[in-house]
Amino acid sequence: MAATTIDEYLADVPEPKRTTLQRLRATIREIVPAATEAISYGMPAFKIDGKVVAGFAAFKHHLAYFPHSGGPLRTLATELADYEQTPGSLHFAIDRPLPKTLVRKLIAARRAEIAEAKQAAQAKQAAQAKQAAQRVR
């Protein structure tokens, strides 16, 4: 049965991965205490205003941090150069959590990306409303 909470997910993760992910979870909770914990795509995730800002998962030979967008990884490419990556995940050692300062930067980049997308959507809606109002005249 698939996990429905982060606690359930972590209960099935063997050591030392579990402890490393528990430390990452604590770091994320410290950085974004208002975030809601969830399971997204079968992995632990942290949401703010319904948007996932961070997540993680355990794999056979590594652990992964998921910003749930490739944007933060591209934004912080220089700082992440020593880590293995995919376009949407950052891999790290099973016994060494990501540094708190790096997690803080990853979350800040993701939140900035979400804010920019929200502003763009609002601007688009305003432009469409203005065009619709002009057509009515």
Side-chain angles (χ1 to χ4, degrees), residues 23-24 27-28 31 65 79-80 83 90 92 96-106:
R23 289 175 61 193
L24 177 58
T27 296
I28 294 169
I31 294 166
Y65 177 93
E79 293 181 59
L80 303 176
Y83 292 92
L90 180 67
F92 58 102
R96 201 174 28 219
L98 292 171
K100 187 183 297 187
T101 55
L102 182 57
V103 175
R104 186 178 308 281
K105 289 176 183 180
L106 286 160

mmCIF file of all heavy atoms in Angstrom, residues 23-24 27-28 31 65 79-80 83 90 92 96-106:
data_model
loop_
_atom_site.group_PDB
_atom_site.id
_atom_site.type_symbol
_atom_site.label_atom_id
_atom_site.label_comp_id
_atom_site.label_asym_id
_atom_site.label_seq_id
_atom_site.Cartn_x
_atom_site.Cartn_y
_atom_site.Cartn_z
ATOM 1 N N ARG A 23 16.215 14.346 8.823
ATOM 2 C CA ARG A 23 16.945 15.608 9.047
ATOM 3 C C ARG A 23 16.581 16.629 7.978
ATOM 4 O O ARG A 23 16.394 17.812 8.276
ATOM 5 C CB ARG A 23 18.449 15.358 9.086
ATOM 6 C CG ARG A 23 18.865 14.620 10.373
ATOM 7 C CD ARG A 23 20.314 14.248 10.427
ATOM 8 N NE ARG A 23 21.186 15.417 10.363
ATOM 9 C CZ ARG A 23 22.485 15.345 10.149
ATOM 10 N NH1 ARG A 23 23.076 14.167 9.982
ATOM 11 N NH2 ARG A 23 23.217 16.438 10.103
ATOM 12 N N LEU A 24 16.452 16.176 6.728
ATOM 13 C CA LEU A 24 16.034 17.090 5.656
ATOM 14 C C LEU A 24 14.614 17.596 5.919
ATOM 15 O O LEU A 24 14.332 18.782 5.751
ATOM 16 C CB LEU A 24 16.121 16.398 4.297
ATOM 17 C CG LEU A 24 15.638 17.215 3.103
ATOM 18 C CD1 LEU A 24 16.399 18.536 2.966
ATOM 19 C CD2 LEU A 24 15.756 16.391 1.820
ATOM 20 N N THR A 27 14.740 20.283 8.448
ATOM 21 C CA THR A 27 15.283 21.506 7.858
ATOM 22 C C THR A 27 14.209 22.234 7.057
ATOM 23 O O THR A 27 14.037 23.453 7.184
ATOM 24 C CB THR A 27 16.493 21.183 6.951
ATOM 25 O OG1 THR A 27 17.537 20.635 7.766
ATOM 26 C CG2 THR A 27 16.997 22.409 6.216
ATOM 27 N N ILE A 28 13.478 21.497 6.240
ATOM 28 C CA ILE A 28 12.418 22.113 5.437
ATOM 29 C C ILE A 28 11.356 22.715 6.350
ATOM 30 O O ILE A 28 10.905 23.847 6.138
ATOM 31 C CB ILE A 28 11.808 21.090 4.459
ATOM 32 C CG1 ILE A 28 12.843 20.667 3.416
ATOM 33 C CG2 ILE A 28 10.558 21.671 3.782
ATOM 34 C CD1 ILE A 28 12.442 19.468 2.565
ATOM 35 N N ILE A 31 12.530 25.976 7.716
ATOM 36 C CA ILE A 31 12.575 27.046 6.719
ATOM 37 C C ILE A 31 11.175 27.525 6.351
ATOM 38 O O ILE A 31 10.948 28.725 6.183
ATOM 39 C CB ILE A 31 13.352 26.574 5.471
ATOM 40 C CG1 ILE A 31 14.824 26.342 5.838
ATOM 41 C CG2 ILE A 31 13.232 27.580 4.324
ATOM 42 C CD1 ILE A 31 15.618 25.573 4.792
ATOM 43 N N TYR A 65 16.324 15.376 -3.773
ATOM 44 C CA TYR A 65 15.545 16.551 -3.412
ATOM 45 C C TYR A 65 14.815 16.982 -4.669
ATOM 46 O O TYR A 65 15.421 17.058 -5.747
ATOM 47 C CB TYR A 65 16.479 17.668 -2.917
ATOM 48 C CG TYR A 65 15.750 18.946 -2.598
ATOM 49 C CD1 TYR A 65 15.301 19.199 -1.309
ATOM 50 C CD2 TYR A 65 15.500 19.896 -3.579
ATOM 51 C CE1 TYR A 65 14.621 20.369 -1.005
ATOM 52 C CE2 TYR A 65 14.815 21.067 -3.294
ATOM 53 C CZ TYR A 65 14.378 21.297 -2.011
ATOM 54 O OH TYR A 65 13.704 22.441 -1.718
ATOM 55 N N GLU A 79 26.043 26.639 -7.801
ATOM 56 C CA GLU A 79 26.151 26.096 -6.452
ATOM 57 C C GLU A 79 25.883 24.589 -6.406
ATOM 58 O O GLU A 79 26.299 23.916 -5.463
ATOM 59 C CB GLU A 79 25.177 26.812 -5.521
ATOM 60 C CG GLU A 79 25.548 28.266 -5.306
ATOM 61 C CD GLU A 79 24.596 28.957 -4.370
ATOM 62 O OE1 GLU A 79 24.482 28.482 -3.222
ATOM 63 O OE2 GLU A 79 23.986 29.949 -4.776
ATOM 64 N N LEU A 80 25.198 24.088 -7.412
ATOM 65 C CA LEU A 80 24.824 22.676 -7.433
ATOM 66 C C LEU A 80 25.739 21.832 -8.310
ATOM 67 O O LEU A 80 25.500 20.642 -8.495
ATOM 68 C CB LEU A 80 23.374 22.531 -7.923
ATOM 69 C CG LEU A 80 22.321 23.293 -7.122
ATOM 70 C CD1 LEU A 80 20.958 23.134 -7.764
ATOM 71 C CD2 LEU A 80 22.308 22.825 -5.671
ATOM 72 N N TYR A 83 26.817 18.273 -7.386
ATOM 73 C CA TYR A 83 25.795 17.253 -7.154
ATOM 74 C C TYR A 83 25.343 16.637 -8.472
ATOM 75 O O TYR A 83 25.254 17.326 -9.486
ATOM 76 C CB TYR A 83 24.552 17.875 -6.489
ATOM 77 C CG TYR A 83 24.778 18.342 -5.081
ATOM 78 C CD1 TYR A 83 25.158 19.660 -4.817
ATOM 79 C CD2 TYR A 83 24.603 17.483 -3.999
ATOM 80 C CE1 TYR A 83 25.358 20.102 -3.521
ATOM 81 C CE2 TYR A 83 24.804 17.921 -2.699
ATOM 82 C CZ TYR A 83 25.176 19.225 -2.475
ATOM 83 O OH TYR A 83 25.380 19.664 -1.194
ATOM 84 N N LEU A 90 17.709 16.772 -7.511
ATOM 85 C CA LEU A 90 19.079 16.928 -7.036
ATOM 86 C C LEU A 90 19.405 15.702 -6.189
ATOM 87 O O LEU A 90 18.713 15.414 -5.214
ATOM 88 C CB LEU A 90 19.170 18.204 -6.195
ATOM 89 C CG LEU A 90 20.511 18.565 -5.609
ATOM 90 C CD1 LEU A 90 21.487 18.936 -6.721
ATOM 91 C CD2 LEU A 90 20.360 19.727 -4.642
ATOM 92 N N PHE A 92 21.688 13.330 -3.641
ATOM 93 C CA PHE A 92 22.681 13.492 -2.578
ATOM 94 C C PHE A 92 22.879 12.164 -1.852
ATOM 95 O O PHE A 92 22.102 11.217 -2.017
ATOM 96 C CB PHE A 92 22.302 14.623 -1.615
ATOM 97 C CG PHE A 92 20.969 14.485 -0.934
ATOM 98 C CD1 PHE A 92 20.892 14.053 0.386
ATOM 99 C CD2 PHE A 92 19.787 14.803 -1.585
ATOM 100 C CE1 PHE A 92 19.681 13.939 1.031
ATOM 101 C CE2 PHE A 92 18.564 14.698 -0.954
ATOM 102 C CZ PHE A 92 18.512 14.266 0.361
ATOM 103 N N ARG A 96 24.207 11.777 4.215
ATOM 104 C CA ARG A 96 24.632 13.168 4.398
ATOM 105 C C ARG A 96 23.547 14.100 3.859
ATOM 106 O O ARG A 96 23.418 14.269 2.651
ATOM 107 C CB ARG A 96 25.953 13.391 3.679
ATOM 108 C CG ARG A 96 26.745 14.553 4.159
ATOM 109 C CD ARG A 96 28.092 14.605 3.482
ATOM 110 N NE ARG A 96 28.016 13.981 2.160
ATOM 111 C CZ ARG A 96 28.945 13.218 1.630
ATOM 112 N NH1 ARG A 96 30.056 13.020 2.243
ATOM 113 N NH2 ARG A 96 28.786 12.679 0.447
ATOM 114 N N PRO A 97 22.751 14.719 4.740
ATOM 115 C CA PRO A 97 21.684 15.604 4.256
ATOM 116 C C PRO A 97 22.249 16.840 3.562
ATOM 117 O O PRO A 97 23.410 17.208 3.759
ATOM 118 C CB PRO A 97 20.913 15.976 5.511
ATOM 119 C CG PRO A 97 21.793 15.649 6.650
ATOM 120 C CD PRO A 97 22.794 14.640 6.188
ATOM 121 N N LEU A 98 21.416 17.445 2.748
ATOM 122 C CA LEU A 98 21.820 18.686 2.088
ATOM 123 C C LEU A 98 22.044 19.770 3.139
ATOM 124 O O LEU A 98 21.322 19.817 4.146
ATOM 125 C CB LEU A 98 20.726 19.141 1.122
ATOM 126 C CG LEU A 98 20.497 18.269 -0.098
ATOM 127 C CD1 LEU A 98 19.244 18.727 -0.845
ATOM 128 C CD2 LEU A 98 21.701 18.285 -1.017
ATOM 129 N N PRO A 99 23.009 20.647 2.915
ATOM 130 C CA PRO A 99 23.236 21.753 3.865
ATOM 131 C C PRO A 99 22.003 22.656 3.967
ATOM 132 O O PRO A 99 21.323 22.919 2.975
ATOM 133 C CB PRO A 99 24.409 22.516 3.252
ATOM 134 C CG PRO A 99 25.061 21.559 2.314
ATOM 135 C CD PRO A 99 23.976 20.651 1.816
ATOM 136 N N LYS A 100 21.719 23.113 5.165
ATOM 137 C CA LYS A 100 20.556 23.967 5.417
ATOM 138 C C LYS A 100 20.576 25.219 4.538
ATOM 139 O O LYS A 100 19.538 25.631 4.022
ATOM 140 C CB LYS A 100 20.502 24.363 6.887
ATOM 141 C CG LYS A 100 19.238 25.116 7.257
ATOM 142 C CD LYS A 100 19.235 25.574 8.703
ATOM 143 C CE LYS A 100 19.263 24.419 9.646
ATOM 144 N NZ LYS A 100 19.107 24.803 11.061
ATOM 145 N N THR A 101 21.752 25.814 4.348
ATOM 146 C CA THR A 101 21.823 27.026 3.527
ATOM 147 C C THR A 101 21.410 26.730 2.079
ATOM 148 O O THR A 101 20.760 27.554 1.448
ATOM 149 C CB THR A 101 23.236 27.638 3.543
ATOM 150 O OG1 THR A 101 24.184 26.642 3.142
ATOM 151 C CG2 THR A 101 23.597 28.168 4.913
ATOM 152 N N LEU A 102 21.767 25.555 1.585
ATOM 153 C CA LEU A 102 21.396 25.184 0.222
ATOM 154 C C LEU A 102 19.894 24.925 0.118
ATOM 155 O O LEU A 102 19.244 25.369 -0.831
ATOM 156 C CB LEU A 102 22.186 23.957 -0.235
ATOM 157 C CG LEU A 102 21.930 23.494 -1.666
ATOM 158 C CD1 LEU A 102 22.214 24.612 -2.666
ATOM 159 C CD2 LEU A 102 22.786 22.265 -1.975
ATOM 160 N N VAL A 103 19.333 24.235 1.088
ATOM 161 C CA VAL A 103 17.891 23.983 1.084
ATOM 162 C C VAL A 103 17.137 25.313 1.144
ATOM 163 O O VAL A 103 16.144 25.504 0.434
ATOM 164 C CB VAL A 103 17.485 23.054 2.258
ATOM 165 C CG1 VAL A 103 15.973 22.879 2.323
ATOM 166 C CG2 VAL A 103 18.180 21.703 2.137
ATOM 167 N N ARG A 104 17.620 26.226 1.952
ATOM 168 C CA ARG A 104 16.994 27.553 2.053
ATOM 169 C C ARG A 104 16.995 28.250 0.682
ATOM 170 O O ARG A 104 15.992 28.826 0.263
ATOM 171 C CB ARG A 104 17.728 28.398 3.094
ATOM 172 C CG ARG A 104 17.067 29.735 3.390
ATOM 173 C CD ARG A 104 17.818 30.505 4.476
ATOM 174 N NE ARG A 104 18.066 29.757 5.691
ATOM 175 C CZ ARG A 104 17.172 29.534 6.652
ATOM 176 N NH1 ARG A 104 15.962 30.011 6.538
ATOM 177 N NH2 ARG A 104 17.499 28.845 7.732
ATOM 178 N N LYS A 105 18.103 28.173 -0.032
ATOM 179 C CA LYS A 105 18.192 28.796 -1.356
ATOM 180 C C LYS A 105 17.284 28.102 -2.370
ATOM 181 O O LYS A 105 16.656 28.757 -3.201
ATOM 182 C CB LYS A 105 19.637 28.780 -1.849
ATOM 183 C CG LYS A 105 20.538 29.739 -1.100
ATOM 184 C CD LYS A 105 21.975 29.615 -1.566
ATOM 185 C CE LYS A 105 22.894 30.520 -0.763
ATOM 186 N NZ LYS A 105 24.290 30.406 -1.204
ATOM 187 N N LEU A 106 17.220 26.782 -2.313
ATOM 188 C CA LEU A 106 16.352 26.035 -3.228
ATOM 189 C C LEU A 106 14.885 26.403 -3.009
ATOM 190 O O LEU A 106 14.138 26.632 -3.967
ATOM 191 C CB LEU A 106 16.555 24.531 -3.048
ATOM 192 C CG LEU A 106 17.848 23.960 -3.618
ATOM 193 C CD1 LEU A 106 18.178 22.617 -2.980
ATOM 194 C CD2 LEU A 106 17.752 23.839 -5.133
#
